Amino acid sequence: MTTTTPALLREWRHAFHRQPETAFEEHRTSARIVEILEDAGIDKVTGLGGGTGVVAWVDGRHGGERAIGLRADIDALDVREANDVAHASTTPGKMHACGHDGHTTMLLGAARTLAQAPDFAGRVYFIFQPAEENEGGGRVMVEEGLFERFPMEAVYGVHNWPGMAVGEAAVHDTAVMAAFDVFRVTLTGHGCHAAMPYLGKDVVLAACQLVNQLQGIVSRETPAHQTAVMSVTQFHAGDAYNVMPETVELCGTVRCFDPELRDHLETRFRQAIAAMATFHGLEADIDYQSRYPATFNTPAHAARCAEVLEALPDIHRVHRNLPPSMASEDFAFMLQQRPGAYIWLGNGEDSAALHNPHYDFNDALAPIGVAYWTALARTLLDECERDKR
C-alpha cells in the first residue's frame, strides 16, 4: 500500500470533484470509496443509508473494546460549476459546491493512515454518509440502525469553512448549526383580466403582503437573545402581462436553535397564512416540513477536539465558540444519538462561499484534515483504554 501523500489526496479529491453525484445517487462515489478501502485492506459494509453509504473500520493493535466513529458526507449539489479548472465537474448542473469531495478524501486518508499504523487501542469506524444536502442521509443511517450495527461510544464530524484561513479551526462547546425547516405555500384565488382586478381575488397582492408580514414573526416575536431566520426564497406566479393569476406559490426556510421557539415559529407561520387568506378570500395550502434538528456538540468532547487541534503542528489557531452558523447539518441526527463534536477547518480566507458555483475545496486542507482525524482517534481511544484500566 502506497503512502497517503498530499499528491495522492489531491488525486482522489479531484476525481471525486469531476464526477459529482447528488442525494442517494452516489453510486460511482461509493464504488470509488470501496476501491480505496479495499486497496488498504480495510473491512467495510456497503449499501447503507439508502444504498450508497459505507461504513469501514480499523482495529488498533493494542486490543481494547472501545470504539468511536468519524463521519464524512459524500454527496454533491444541484449547482452548475463556474470554475475553469482541470478537475471541474463533468456532470452538467451538478458540482461539489460544499466540499464533500474533500471531506470524503480526508476520511479516506485517515482510514489508510490508521490502517498502516494502528498504534491505538479499540476500533475506529469510518462513516461515509450519503445525502447530507437537504435529504437527511444521516437520519436514514440512524434509522437503519447505524449505532446498533456498529457500536460506538461517540461520533465526530468535520466541515471545511470558507473565510477562515487554512491552518485555523473552530470548535463550539454546544450549538454549532441551526435547525432547518422548509415550507411551500400555495394561495389560490380567482384569476381575471389585469385591467379589471375587482373581478378577481388577487393572490399576488396577498402573497406580497404575506412576505412582509412573515418577517415580523422573527423581528417582533423572537426574543432578542435567541436567533432565528425566516426566508422566502421562491415566488412563482403568472405567465402573462395582462392576466391576474389564479395561484401563487411561495417557498422558503425557517431556521433557529431552540426547540420551543421552533414550534412557536411554525404555529405563527400557519396562523399568519390563514389570516391573510381569510382577509383576501383565498384558499391556502401549506406544506411545512421539519428537516434537520439543530447541531449541538457535547462540551467535554468539544474540549478534547480543541486540545487535539491545538497540538497539531499545522494548526496555528483554534477559535472557541464563534457565533454558530444558521446553516444546517444532518450530522445533528447522529449527535442526538451519541455524544461527540462537529468542528470547522479553515478553507482559506479568499475561498468562495459554500454552495457558490465558484467554490472549490482547498487541497492544502486535506493533509491537515487527515492529521486531525488520526490524532483524534489515537488520542481518544488510548484515553478510553487508560480510563478503563
Side-chain angles (χ1 to χ4, degrees):
M1 181 169 56
T2 59
T3 303
T4 309
T5 63
L8 183 59
L9 295 173
R10 185 169 56 252
E11 177 185 324
W12 292 347
R13 208 278 294 182
H14 288 191
F16 288 129
H17 193 92
R18 278 191 291 267
Q19 295 187 322
E21 297 171 300
T22 47
F24 299 119
E25 298 176 353
E26 310 95 332
H27 298 288
R28 289 180 302 186
T29 301
S30 180
R32 181 59 181 142
I33 290 169
V34 169
E35 287 178 3
I36 293 171
L37 293 170
E38 289 180 343
D39 180 64
I42 298 173
D43 293 326
K44 81 285 178 191
V45 173
T46 62
L48 305 171
T52 53
V54 179
V55 173
W57 59 91
V58 171
D59 291 321
R61 65 164 57 103
H62 303 307
E65 299 175 356
R66 302 290 184 87
I68 62 170
L70 312 179
R71 172 269 199 176
D73 34 20
I74 69 175
D75 57 320
L77 281 156
D78 290 309
V79 174
R80 182 175 294 277
E81 183 157 14
N83 294 313
D84 184 17
V85 292
H87 60 274
S89 170
T90 59
T91 305
K94 297 181 186 293
M95 72 168 289
H96 274 290
C98 203
H100 297 184
D101 51 341
H103 302 166
T104 301
T105 295
M106 292 190 298
L107 193 58
L108 285 168
R112 281 173 55 103
T113 300
L114 290 169
Q116 287 178 316
D119 46 349
F120 58 92
R123 171 174 286 186
V124 183
Y125 286 108
F126 306 92
I127 305 164
F128 297 91
Q129 179 215 302
E132 188 279 325
E133 300 289 356
N134 297 317
E135 300 305 324
R139 173 185 53 77
V140 173
M141 292 193 83
V142 168
E143 291 175 350
E144 286 182 351
L146 172 68
F147 296 114
E148 291 73 30
R149 294 186 64 182
F150 310 100
M152 59 191 81
E153 297 181 0
V155 65
Y156 301 88
V158 164
H159 207 292
N160 76 95
W161 210 248
M164 184 183 296
V166 173
E168 296 187 8
V171 182
H172 298 76
D173 287 340
T174 54
V176 189
M177 312 284 275
F180 166 42
D181 298 342
V182 297
F183 60 82
R184 182 186 305 274
V185 178
T186 303
L187 299 177
T188 303
H190 184 70
C192 64
H193 196 293
M196 294 168 278
Y198 57 89
L199 296 178
K201 296 185 182 297
D202 192 349
V203 294
V204 173
L205 175 62
C208 289
Q209 293 175 345
L210 185 60
V211 171
N212 287 324
Q213 185 178 13
L214 289 174
Q215 300 310 308
I217 298 175
V218 172
S219 66
R220 290 297 178 265
E221 298 186 21
T222 300
H225 66 277
Q226 293 184 313
T227 305
V229 173
M230 183 178 295
S231 297
V232 177
T233 57
Q234 299 179 48
F235 192 121
H236 305 290
D239 298 296
Y241 289 107
N242 60 347
V243 176
M244 304 294 290
E246 188 90 1
T247 63
V248 62
E249 182 180 81
L250 302 177
C251 302
T253 180
V254 179
R255 298 166 187 268
C256 66
F257 293 93
D258 183 81
E260 292 185 5
L261 176 59
R262 190 181 189 185
D263 291 341
H264 172 77
L265 292 173
E266 179 181 354
T267 297
R268 294 292 290 131
F269 177 88
R270 293 180 180 276
Q271 289 173 347
I273 293 167
M276 186 66 68
T278 298
F279 180 80
H280 287 276
L282 310 176
E283 294 181 4
D285 179 72
I286 304 172
D287 179 14
Y288 193 103
Q289 301 178 22
S290 296
R291 290 292 181 90
Y292 299 174
T295 305
F296 284 94
N297 287 342
T298 310
H301 291 254
R304 295 302 293 121
C305 291
E307 292 172 7
V308 169
L309 286 163
E310 288 166 348
L312 293 178
D314 289 329
I315 295 291
H316 57 265
R317 183 177 183 184
V318 178
H319 301 271
R320 296 304 307 274
N321 296 315
L322 292 176
S325 172
M326 297 308 293
S328 302
E329 166 62 69
D330 79 342
F331 187 63
F333 289 106
M334 297 187 187
L335 287 177
Q336 285 186 328
Q337 302 297 316
R338 293 293 184 275
Y342 179 86
I343 66 121
W344 300 341
L345 292 176
N347 196 60
E349 294 173 298
D350 59 350
S351 169
L354 301 174
H355 295 207
N356 184 290
H358 294 280
Y359 170 86
D360 196 13
F361 181 87
N362 193 330
D363 288 313
L365 174 57
I368 298 175
V370 172
Y372 167 67
W373 276 140
T374 54
L376 182 70
R378 288 168 173 156
T379 299
L380 294 181
L381 286 174
D382 284 343
E383 286 179 351
C384 285
E385 288 306 310
R386 285 198 298 272
D387 292 344
K388 182 181 176 182
R389 292 193 294 269

